[in-house]
Amino acid sequence: MVDVLLGLQWGDEGKGKIVDYFAPRYDIIARFQGGPNAGHTLYINGQKVVLHQIPSGIFHENKLNLIGSGVVLDAVTLKKEYDKVTAFGIDGKKNLYVSERTQLILPTHRALDKASEISKGNEKIGSTLKGIGPAYMDKTGRNGLRVGDLLDKNFTTQYIKLRMKHQRMLDSFGFNDDISEWEEEFFEAIEFLKSLKIVNGEYFINEKIREGKKILAEGAQGSMLDVDFGTFPFVTSSNTISAGVCTGLGIAPQKIREVIGVTKAYCTRVGSGPFPTELHDETGERLRKIGNEFGATTGRPRRCGWIDLVALDFACMINGVTQVVMTKADVLDAFDELSVCTSYKVDGKEQRTVPYQMNKVDIDPQYKSFEGWKTDITRMKTKDELPQPMKEYISFINKYLGVDVSYISNGPEREQIIKA
Ligand code: GDP
Ligand code: IMO
Ligand code: MG
């Protein structure tokens, strides 16, 4: 049995914290897509840890963590992260598995990412520059190298061949940054990677399913960043939605039970691209300040705005969301009034659907106002304690989406969560 936990917005919904909270209920936590563009924040004994490649179940003893086939893996980031986790007294090698089909991010992928972004001028994607796009392009272009290739005696030859091809591409961009330092780090890190448990991910996971083990598939990024259904071209390069679990782990759709969608009580986006409910005023600034909305991977300020139910409803539809977890509800504690986007006005006409190309049309978001709860909810433990205006805010969202909020996160710490 597989449950999926994924982001319903433009990423950074708080997936890491929620996976860490749910991990005790599962046997295996598996990442199925994305790469070190992800930054998943956890608090372990009050200490902040940001994970980019390792699944967020790693701090739980006896839980297995799989980096699945659909992931793109930067060995250098993985090695650094492994050292960080080890400093917490975790024996990473015991519980960390890597699928042999997982694609490798090479130093030249990072260089190509940078060169490509520079070439876009003012149409930049706002990429994290971790080499994600070029690594996935090599996968679909049938050029890339995979974790399993590390064990092949011809690995270096294959690497050099691909590097030469990348060099020609970099030359055409006029990009001539020196990447020799990255390469040195890369070759050191792949030696480390070889020392991990490299497995056939699809047999590994399906055998565990047959044994009756419970698996939590951990999404990265968010549904609106999905390469097919997000705000293309301002998206990432993988399928971030529930369908990506099947291709990213090699499991059949009927093995999936719950699809847990995570949303903030408001909305953020980092990088370029459409964001209809973005606030360019003091309220947006206040959300950023109270919510500490700065990227976990790049430190960039996140764009902030009200919750967008049109986009959320779309995300629930394409993912088949069965329950919603609402995070950062505490960030709204001090606001007198809250707004919820209930429709878009496009060319004067109101609609409740996401336009094909959000960036090409003028969207005027229509809002419904709610009274703020003006109460500190951060120490609350049960739903009965929650203020009435907050119950009304959530009840409206439940009705609009046709899916209920099952948990409300009221602070960054592991224990700050309330069953709705
Ligand atoms: P992810 O990428 O979806 O895992 O999310 P990030 O870790 O990038 O960003 C979420 C941020 O919000 C992190 O700094 C978390 O520590 C923090 N966070 C998560 N849940 C809550 C919450 O309920 N309240 C508050 N105040 N912060 C939260
Ligand atoms: P987590 O898992 C938020 C955004 C980037 C950029 C676009 C493409 O922490 O939620 P890429 O590096 O993939 O080429 O960037 O996607 N992006 C994210 N935004 N959270 C993430 O991950 C993101 N991963 C990528 O900012 O706009
Ligand atoms: Mg993040």
Side-chain angles (χ1 to χ4, degrees):
M1 179 280 291
V2 181
D3 286 348
V4 182
L5 186 142
L6 45 74
L8 296 178
Q9 299 169 308
W10 281 280
D12 302 330
E13 296 89 351
K15 299 175 290 294
K17 172 197 155 154
I18 307 300
V19 170
D20 174 54
Y21 174 76
F22 282 147
R25 305 176 187 184
Y26 296 90
D27 301 293
I28 302 169
I29 320 300
R31 277 276 308 267
F32 59 95
Q33 48 68 233
N37 48 349
H40 295 180
T41 313
L42 281 62
Y43 277 83
I44 307 297
N45 307 325
Q47 245 183 295
K48 180 176 164 176
V49 192
V50 182
L51 297 175
H52 304 284
Q53 294 273 198
I54 299 179
S56 301
I58 197 72
F59 289 99
H60 295 266
E61 241 191 308
N62 304 324
K63 304 293 171 190
L64 306 187
N65 290 267
L66 173 71
I67 298 177
S69 305
V71 170
V72 286
L73 179 60
D74 182 334
V76 177
T77 306
L78 179 68
K79 167 81 175 72
K80 285 187 187 147
E81 212 162 283
Y82 173 84
D83 292 343
K84 202 159 64 178
V85 166
T86 309
F88 278 84
I90 301 291
D91 178 3
K93 283 203 181 163
K94 189 170 138 231
N95 291 334
L96 185 60
Y97 293 75
V98 186
S99 168
E100 58 193 358
R101 291 185 193 268
T102 306
Q103 293 277 328
L104 291 169
I105 299 179
L106 308 181
T108 38
H109 286 140
R110 278 201 267 167
L112 283 165
D113 211 358
K114 195 170 160 194
S116 161
E117 276 287 77
I118 293 169
S119 76
K120 283 182 189 276
N122 52 16
E123 287 178 349
K124 283 186 180 37
I125 305 294
S127 166
T128 59
L129 304 178
K130 303 293 176 192
I132 307 298
Y136 276 115
M137 279 162 71
D138 264 347
K139 170 178 171 170
T140 50
R142 298 160 293 178
N143 289 309
L145 292 168
R146 305 190 283 183
V147 168
D149 296 330
L150 292 174
L151 310 173
D152 189 318
K153 62 178 182 342
N154 292 324
F155 178 77
T156 312
T157 318
Q158 284 177 287
Y159 173 85
I160 292 168
K161 232 166 105 184
L162 192 51
R163 191 200 190 291
M164 276 160 65
K165 183 178 172 187
H166 290 162
Q167 193 56 55
R168 285 193 294 276
M169 291 160 79
L170 288 167
D171 289 346
S172 75
F173 277 117
F175 187 89
N176 45 24
D177 280 16
D178 180 15
I179 60 158
S180 52
E181 213 173 291
W182 289 356
E183 266 192 323
E184 219 171 281
E185 274 188 324
F186 172 77
F187 277 100
E188 265 172 46
I190 60 172
E191 285 312 309
F192 160 77
L193 181 50
K194 280 197 250 179
S195 74
L196 297 182
K197 291 181 177 126
I198 298 173
V199 294
N200 178 305
E202 54 279 21
Y203 280 111
F204 175 84
I205 210 100
N206 281 292
E207 268 159 31
K208 298 292 181 196
I209 293 172
R210 262 195 300 277
E211 286 166 19
K213 301 279 191 238
K214 296 194 180 85
I215 291 131
L216 181 62
E218 174 181 5
Q221 290 78 56
S223 304
M224 300 306 283
L225 287 170
D226 180 271
V227 65
D228 286 292
F229 299 103
T231 46
F232 190 87
F234 302 97
V235 293
T236 189
S237 296
S238 64
N239 282 117
T240 59
I241 61 172
S242 53
V245 175
C246 297
T247 54
L249 294 178
I251 57 143
Q254 61 269 39
K255 297 287 188 303
I256 296 177
R257 192 182 62 167
E258 294 286 318
V259 180
I260 307 160
V262 188
T263 174
K264 279 178 186 165
Y266 49 101
C267 193
T268 66
R269 169 162 207 172
V270 61
S272 333
F275 178 5
T277 62
E278 180 172 14
L279 294 165
H280 298 280
D281 57 7
E282 267 174 33
T283 310
E285 198 55 54
R286 213 168 149 211
L287 282 171
R288 183 173 311 114
K289 199 158 172 247
I290 304 175
N292 192 23
E293 294 296 354
F294 295 90
T297 299
T298 57
R300 292 178 291 177
R302 293 178 184 143
R303 299 156 64 192
C304 297
W306 297 122
I307 196 164
D308 179 345
L309 295 187
V310 179
L312 265 186
D313 186 46
F314 172 75
C316 287
M317 174 180 79
I318 57 177
N319 284 300
V321 169
T322 58
Q323 50 177 299
V324 172
V325 174
M326 180 182 279
T327 59
K328 305 194 90 160
D330 55 299
V331 173
L332 301 182
D333 280 358
F335 285 79
D336 291 325
E337 199 182 67
L338 308 170
S339 295
V340 167
C341 169
T342 51
S343 64
Y344 295 160
K345 217 177 222 179
V346 182
D347 296 330
K349 266 179 73 183
E350 226 167 293
Q351 62 180 66
R352 278 182 169 218
T353 51
V354 171
Y356 147 69
Q357 266 188 321
M358 265 187 163
N359 55 322
K360 296 277 169 69
V361 290
D362 199 19
I363 298 174
D364 179 13
Q366 305 296 300
Y367 294 102
K368 179 174 164 59
S369 294
F370 284 82
E371 181 194 341
W373 43 90
K374 307 280 283 171
T375 313
D376 178 356
I377 62 160
T378 55
R379 282 178 197 82
M380 294 182 179
K381 302 266 180 225
T382 62
K383 75 170 185 187
D384 296 339
E385 295 167 74
L386 295 175
Q388 190 54 29
M390 184 177 181
K391 286 184 182 158
E392 281 165 28
Y393 184 78
I394 293 175
S395 153
F396 181 82
I397 293 171
N398 287 346
K399 281 206 193 89
Y400 189 105
L401 299 178
V403 189
D404 285 356
V405 170
S406 57
Y407 284 88
I408 300 152
S409 173
N410 56 337
E413 302 273 346
R414 201 182 253 176
E415 303 73 29
Q416 287 177 298
I417 191 159
I418 298 166
K419 192 158 172 29

